[in-house]
Amino acid sequence: MKAGRHFPVFLSAAATALLLAMPAHAGMAEREPPSAVLWLFVIGIAALSWVMACRRWWLPMAVWLPAALFIASLVADFADPVIGPAVREELGLTYIFQADLAGALMLVVPLMFANIQFSRKD
């Protein structure tokens, strides 16, 4: 068995552990993931996408769907008429900007790696 075969399983287990470590109670802002966790997700998705793209060019698409659903739920919270202003008041606009930037990277990076590997196959 190859040594790198369990790497994606390790990354998904680490991401799940980070999600479970977040508090699920208290104020509006505590429901949102900290910006450090968002950037760890970006790094994890980038690493996982790169490893998967080295295997098959289309495999990063499997990472894209859960990332898109996560980002959609995050943006939906910001657009909510009750939760959005509370998050902006508690965490500030810099958090909103960082979350949007991290979300955009989470959506673009898997597609970028798939495109790079697909263009090399031609």
Side-chain angles (χ1 to χ4, degrees):
M1 185 181 303
K2 292 183 181 178
R5 185 168 278 187
H6 297 290
F7 186 68
V9 175
F10 172 74
L11 281 179
S12 63
T16 304
L18 283 174
L19 282 175
L20 293 175
M22 293 185 335
H25 61 285
M28 291 289 181
E30 291 183 8
R31 291 177 36 158
E32 304 300 327
S35 60
V37 170
L38 291 174
W39 290 111
L40 284 174
F41 280 162
V42 169
I43 293 168
I45 286 174
L48 187 62
S49 297
W50 178 68
V51 168
M52 293 173 92
C54 288
R55 200 89 171 124
R56 300 275 187 263
W57 73 265
W58 49 266
L59 275 177
M61 301 302 175
V63 175
W64 187 84
L65 182 63
L69 293 174
F70 172 71
I71 295 304
S73 69
L74 192 65
V75 171
D77 284 347
F78 297 156
D80 187 86
V82 175
I83 298 173
V87 170
R88 273 184 234 109
E89 184 178 315
E90 291 180 34
L91 297 176
L93 288 176
T94 56
Y95 175 79
I96 303 292
F97 177 72
Q98 282 189 13
D100 288 342
L101 181 62
L105 287 173
M106 282 185 225
L107 292 177
V108 168
V109 166
L111 300 175
M112 179 185 71
F113 281 122
N115 186 34
I116 289 170
Q117 291 293 18
F118 180 73
S119 64
R120 286 186 182 170
K121 301 294 181 200
D122 289 343

